[in-house]
Amino acid sequence: MRLVSFNISIKKDNTPGVIDLLNNLAPDFVALQESMMPREPRVFAGFRSGEDISNYFSKQMPHSFFAPLYIANCVTNGGAVVRDFGGLVEQGTHVLSKYPICSAANKFYYGNYKTEYDATHFEESDWARSILVAIISLPNGKKIKIINVHGIWNLTRMGDNRTVAQSEFIIAELLKDKMPTIVAGDFNLVPKSQSIKMLKQYLTNLSVEYKLETTRPDKKHMVVDYIFVTNDIKVKDFMTIDTDVSDHLPLVLDFDV
């Protein structure tokens, strides 16, 4: 089986390129960050990624769950519109699956769902953050848990008390049922940060184990995207794909359970 984790970027009008890349990779599961779902027909084409990707892969991966962080028709900064979406759109994390999703939830750990996107104090406060938790039934009768993370933004990528609490929240979710689990996403944290190191007791960090040099095509030696697995996930291969489709590189995990 194959899982692809990818921050597809709200800053780029890149959905056709993302679809081509995913189509070539032929995943069984996809974990997207910065996916966008239009809630009005007039939303501009560049901000419809989640809907367009779901529709394109409706036969290959007919099961999906979207976990929104906010709904807005634009981004404002200091009272001025700096990015116009054309209409109301939600942004968040997104899981697509070849196999049935038994249950899924959008679990907030920092802030709450917002009805605006005001970036005036983004560097200090960020926006709301949650984890998407999906439990999926496999053909062999087993179940796996996929936790999709788009972590708290912090300038140094070393984290702070908020990202420590983020890791504690993820660990608490892991310990609820001890199910075979994949944790994937853009953490906005470097490997040496305390918040990433905290997860080592419970998970194998494949981005570190496979010695990734970067997960950002525009920056050398910056790893901020990760796939972690529990010991009952049998890793067959793990890699990044070199592409400039987004401002992050996709992570590809081949595995069995």
Side-chain angles (χ1 to χ4, degrees):
M1 293 179 288
R2 170 168 283 186
L3 179 142
V4 175
S5 177
F6 198 11
N7 181 331
I8 57 176
S9 180
I10 67 169
K11 298 175 184 177
K12 290 192 170 189
D13 185 358
N14 61 352
T15 302
V18 171
I19 288 173
D20 285 347
L21 185 146
L22 292 175
N23 198 38
N24 289 334
L25 291 173
D28 300 290
F29 314 95
V30 173
L32 300 176
Q33 301 88 49
E34 298 195 17
S35 179
M36 304 195 79
M37 287 288 189
R39 298 310 181 199
E40 291 183 315
R42 59 196 181 97
V43 171
F44 297 144
F47 303 110
R48 311 179 71 93
S49 57
E51 180 180 75
D52 290 346
I53 292 167
S54 291
N55 289 341
Y56 185 89
F57 290 103
S58 61
K59 292 184 179 179
Q60 298 98 313
M61 292 178 287
H63 311 281
S64 68
F65 184 80
F66 177 69
L69 300 174
Y70 64 78
I71 188 168
N73 58 19
C74 64
V75 180
T76 60
N77 194 322
V81 174
V82 295
R83 184 176 297 129
D84 183 4
F85 298 143
L88 285 173
V89 64
E90 289 183 308
Q91 190 251 74
T93 54
H94 193 180
V95 163
L96 292 83
S97 174
K98 180 177 180 180
Y99 305 113
I101 297 175
C102 304
S103 65
N106 185 17
K107 300 188 177 186
F108 282 84
Y109 59 87
Y110 179 73
N112 300 294
Y113 179 85
K114 298 291 185 181
T115 55
E116 63 176 357
Y117 184 175
D118 181 1
T120 306
H121 301 291
F122 177 78
E123 290 192 4
E124 298 88 356
S125 60
D126 198 0
W127 60 60
R129 297 288 179 176
S130 68
I131 58 173
L132 187 166
V133 181
I135 297 175
I136 296 170
S137 292
L138 302 178
N140 62 6
K142 295 181 180 180
K143 293 180 180 179
I144 62 168
K145 180 184 288 187
I146 296 175
I147 300 177
N148 190 355
V149 181
H150 190 190
I152 293 170
W153 192 90
N154 58 107
L155 182 61
T156 66
R157 306 297 196 273
M158 285 297 295
D160 51 32
N161 62 324
R162 300 172 303 161
T163 62
V164 168
Q166 172 182 282
S167 292
E168 290 172 344
F169 192 86
I170 293 168
I171 290 167
E173 180 62 39
L174 284 172
L175 296 178
K176 283 182 179 178
D177 46 34
K178 297 185 178 179
M179 186 178 296
T181 299
I182 300 169
V183 181
D186 169 15
F187 278 69
N188 282 311
L189 294 164
V190 294
K192 64 182 180 180
S193 64
Q194 178 189 356
S195 304
I196 291 297
K197 289 181 176 179
M198 287 172 63
L199 301 174
K200 186 176 180 180
Q201 181 179 350
Y202 305 93
L203 297 159
T204 299
N205 184 339
L206 298 180
S207 297
V208 170
E209 291 287 320
Y210 280 75
K211 299 180 181 178
L212 298 187
E213 292 187 4
T214 188
T215 61
R216 298 291 304 273
D218 56 337
K219 295 179 173 67
K220 293 182 179 180
H221 310 299
M222 179 177 277
V223 173
V224 293
D225 301 86
Y226 300 89
I227 292 183
F228 301 86
V229 294
T230 52
N231 290 336
D232 36 17
I233 299 291
K234 301 171 186 176
V235 177
K236 299 171 68 177
D237 200 6
F238 177 73
M239 71 194 86
T240 57
I241 303 298
D242 188 15
T243 177
D244 60 0
V245 167
S246 177
D247 57 358
H248 290 253
L249 299 178
L251 306 182
V252 182
L253 168 64
D254 292 328
F255 71 99
D256 283 325
V257 180

